[in-house]
Amino acid sequence: EDVSGDSIRRRFLDFYASRGHKVLPSASLVPEDPTVLLTIAGMLQFKPVFLGKVPREVPCATTAQRCIRTNDLENVGRTARHHTFFEMLGNFSFGDYFKREAIRWAWELSTVEFGLPADRVWVSIYQDDDEAFEIWKNEVGVPVERIKRMGEADNFWTSGPTGPCGPCSELYYDFYPERGTGDDVDLGDDSRFIEFYNLVFMQYNKTEEGLLEPLKQKNIDTGLGLERIAQILQKVPNNYETDLIYPIIAKVLELANISYDSADEKAKTSLKVIADHMRAVVYLISDGVVPSNIGRGYVVRRLIRRAVRKGKSLGIDGDGKGSLKGAFLPTVAEKVIEMSAYIDSDVKQKSPRILEEIRQEELHFKKTLERGEKLLDQKLLDALSTSDKTPCISGKDAFILYDTYGFPVEITAEVAEERGVSIDMDGFEVEMENQRRQSQAAHNVVKLTVEDGDDITRDIDDTEFLGYDSLSARAVVKS
Ligand code: ATP
Ligand code: MG
Ligand code: MG
Ligand code: MG
């Protein structure tokens, strides 16, 4: 049986196509919805249909949607299951079928099409969704001990502060069924479970005032993480070792001249971060986002810069192939592009521009790094030579590094943390605030929250990178 990522994607789409769904292409990572920064889920392109603002073209559809979630940035490489870039497989009903069919098909897909053993699949439901409980228990036959009622944080899905939303039911895979059942079993325990499929019973619109208005029709919105189901079916320990991502890691290993098996945990994290971030960067640039200092462009810039530093920590010099002046990320990106056919068929044709953007940003940042690193080193030594038990870099110094040397504060923090030094973030904020007040520049910040209430632009706003040479570059950026 073929369990390659490409075949899993195909089988998902075929499964729903043969149940009356129209197969539609992935939408861009840059949503049409002006209130949203980036495409975080498959439902975004259908938001106006769910809200009843545009008539449906088909009763139900299925997609493989490329997604970006910057709220998971810190999780990349730390958990086995989070990426900034991933593909969400989805089936959608626009006032057509509802809970019963969505649940039964999700079960059939998981246990028959993908062949997961029924006793390894657990489900969660929204605390008072008795209807979902009845369907899982009586129609599907899931034993009650593997149905967990959960609260709003996990089982009430909203795409943002306002908009279509509803209770959801999720499917989890159990890696250790021998650990048994019981009230104390926690589906959030990621040493045992992985959430792979979320079924949202989209029947409300959340208004500005926070009220839940019933929608005209009841909809279905689902998301199944391709890399996660691939991890399960390919029986590998994490998403990164699936055929969807590992070839990119292999390319980085080659450039670093090391082997995966001999890499320690820190090096493995670096490998995963580079592979993840380069996927995100390639698809973001393909969808028209280029590195800059604000909004989406800052996301790309930050991802590239983080990847550059991780490359350095793996000992990759220059282009990794002998030229100390070159850039290595374009070589990694080439691999991503080679694997892009079913994710975004336009990428190959745009490849020269994508590679050039990445090359320039990498080389630019490396110069910045060289200049700032001396100062940062000095500040770290100063901090470590105090008798302070918790050595710390002042907000003012972090601000100078940021403002004059172009060190994004999260990079300063990351370097410092490696040496056991912290950053006075409150002090840094004060400096930022002063500068903001002085410059009176308009802030181009697009708001986006995901279901757990994480404001992904909070991060971006706090660390907005204003330029290499504080005065000249800022004038350009802000004009
Ligand atoms: P988690 O609790 O693991 O963070 P989630 O509840 O935030 O996931 P949903 O918003 O329910 O995720 O998205 C639907 C599906 O998309 C998830 O069940 C998962 O399979 C996949 N998914 C979500 N976030 C990521 C991510 N950062 N990387 C890879 N897959 C993801
Ligand atoms: Mg999440
Ligand atoms: Mg979850
Ligand atoms: Mg979920």
Side-chain angles (χ1 to χ4, degrees):
E1 184 163 85
D2 187 357
V3 291
S4 69
D6 286 342
S7 123
I8 294 171
R9 188 192 298 105
R10 182 79 264 147
R11 286 163 67 188
F12 179 93
L13 297 172
D14 285 349
F15 180 90
Y16 283 104
S18 70
R19 284 158 184 79
H21 293 62
K22 168 112 174 148
V23 181
L24 294 175
S26 170
S28 167
L29 287 173
V30 178
E32 280 176 30
D33 186 337
T35 67
V36 175
L37 192 68
L38 293 163
T39 296
I40 56 156
M43 56 74 63
L44 269 187
Q45 66 168 314
F46 305 117
K47 202 168 147 185
V49 186
F50 286 137
L51 289 173
K53 285 187 181 157
V54 260
R56 68 180 196 193
E57 277 168 28
V58 291
C60 47
T62 181
T63 61
Q65 175 66 52
R66 48 184 187 276
C67 297
I68 296 273
R69 288 196 183 180
T70 50
N71 66 310
D72 283 326
L73 193 111
E74 298 301 326
N75 286 329
V76 171
R78 294 198 179 158
T79 72
R81 71 181 196 281
H82 287 104
H83 311 293
T84 59
F85 174 89
F86 64 100
E87 283 182 87
M88 192 184 284
L89 305 173
N91 54 288
F92 307 92
S93 155
F94 313 113
D96 188 45
Y97 64 87
F98 198 51
K99 246 177 233 191
R100 167 164 294 112
E101 293 83 350
I103 288 177
R104 295 175 73 132
W105 281 335
W107 183 258
E108 189 188 344
L109 175 85
S110 304
T111 58
V112 181
E113 177 61 39
F114 291 147
L116 301 181
D119 61 354
R120 284 188 175 239
V121 181
W122 292 57
V123 300
S124 68
I125 55 169
Y126 184 56
Q127 49 207 8
D128 38 53
D129 192 348
D130 295 329
E131 191 188 349
F133 181 81
E134 290 301 320
I135 299 170
W136 280 119
K137 173 173 163 276
N138 298 330
E139 298 187 26
V140 176
V142 176
V144 290
E145 58 271 22
R146 288 207 310 273
I147 306 174
K148 293 267 177 193
R149 291 180 188 259
M150 312 230 278
E152 203 165 314
D154 283 292
N155 282 64
F156 196 93
W157 203 90
T158 57
S159 64
T162 62
C165 56
C168 64
S169 179
E170 300 188 310
L171 286 81
Y172 289 76
Y173 183 76
D174 185 355
F175 291 108
Y176 297 100
E178 62 274 21
R179 292 189 193 165
T181 56
D183 283 347
D184 56 331
V185 174
D186 172 15
L187 294 177
D189 170 5
D190 64 3
S191 72
R192 171 165 177 186
F193 296 104
I194 188 170
E195 172 196 327
F196 64 96
Y197 203 177
N198 186 359
L199 319 176
V200 184
F201 311 125
M202 198 165 259
Q203 49 185 315
Y204 302 108
N205 177 33
K206 195 168 181 184
T207 65
E208 299 269 351
E209 298 77 44
L211 296 175
L212 295 180
E213 251 170 18
L215 292 169
K216 279 190 210 101
Q217 355 140 329
K218 291 180 174 178
N219 307 291
I220 289 294
D221 155 34
T222 76
L224 184 155
L226 175 62
E227 297 79 2
R228 294 192 186 181
I229 188 73
Q231 177 199 149
I232 298 166
L233 296 177
Q234 294 174 17
K235 298 187 165 54
V236 289
N238 57 66
N239 290 2
Y240 292 89
E241 294 181 38
T242 66
D243 71 330
L244 293 161
I245 305 181
Y246 191 78
I248 307 165
I249 290 185
K251 181 51 84 181
V252 183
L253 287 166
E254 199 182 303
L255 294 172
N257 201 14
I258 54 173
S259 76
Y260 195 70
D261 292 334
S262 67
D264 59 18
E265 280 314 307
K266 189 170 164 255
K268 279 189 175 150
T269 301
S270 296
L271 291 161
K272 291 170 184 169
V273 167
I274 295 171
D276 170 81
H277 288 12
M278 291 324 287
R279 292 213 311 161
V281 163
V282 162
Y283 292 108
L284 280 166
I285 299 178
S286 172
D287 281 337
V289 186
V290 292
S292 78
N293 295 332
I294 45 172
R296 303 178 177 108
Y298 188 72
V299 172
V300 177
R301 171 155 283 166
R302 195 173 158 195
L303 291 167
I304 293 179
R305 294 181 169 207
R306 193 142 176 262
V308 169
R309 281 211 66 249
K310 296 297 178 192
K312 242 180 145 219
S313 81
L314 288 170
I316 302 176
D317 282 323
D319 66 358
K321 295 188 277 195
S323 163
L324 293 179
K325 283 200 181 131
F328 80 98
L329 289 177
T331 307
V332 183
E334 272 174 4
K335 191 65 186 178
V336 175
I337 292 168
E338 198 185 300
M339 299 167 71
S340 66
Y342 298 105
I343 304 178
D344 174 356
S345 53
D346 290 344
V347 167
K348 279 200 178 133
Q349 168 223 327
K350 294 179 192 161
S351 133
R353 223 200 68 227
I354 297 173
L355 297 176
E356 185 53 22
E357 287 286 357
I358 294 171
R359 193 184 69 86
Q360 280 182 19
E361 181 68 18
E362 176 177 344
L363 294 179
H364 203 160
F365 181 55
K366 278 178 172 166
K367 270 200 208 119
T368 310
L369 267 182
E370 267 166 39
R371 285 170 50 205
E373 252 165 8
K374 277 208 196 94
L375 178 65
L376 178 53
D377 260 347
Q378 191 53 51
K379 296 294 171 194
L380 286 169
L381 284 178
D382 291 351
L384 288 166
S385 66
T386 59
S387 53
D388 221 325
K389 267 200 204 110
T390 51
C392 184
I393 287 184
S394 73
K396 204 170 192 104
D397 285 339
F399 184 75
I400 291 171
L401 278 160
Y402 157 79
D403 191 46
T404 311
Y405 294 88
F407 263 52
V409 72
E410 72 271 7
I411 290 202
T412 304
E414 209 170 274
V415 179
E417 192 193 320
E418 285 162 14
R419 307 261 293 264
V421 175
S422 64
I423 305 271
D424 173 12
M425 286 304 287
D426 292 340
F428 177 80
E429 275 309 310
V430 171
E431 299 290 333
M432 283 292 285
E433 206 34 57
N434 287 342
Q435 189 198 50
R436 258 175 219 153
R437 234 176 276 134
Q438 281 165 17
S439 72
Q440 284 193 341
H443 264 275
N444 184 2
V445 173
V446 195
K447 284 282 170 201
L448 169 66
T449 39
V450 290
E451 82 282 13
D452 53 11
D454 261 7
D455 181 345
I456 74 160
T457 55
R458 183 193 51 214
D459 232 17
I460 294 164
D461 195 23
D462 285 355
T463 57
E464 186 184 13
F465 170 61
L466 294 175
Y468 300 97
D469 303 295
S470 46
L471 292 172
S472 56
R474 191 174 320 130
V476 173
V477 168
K478 292 289 182 178
S479 62

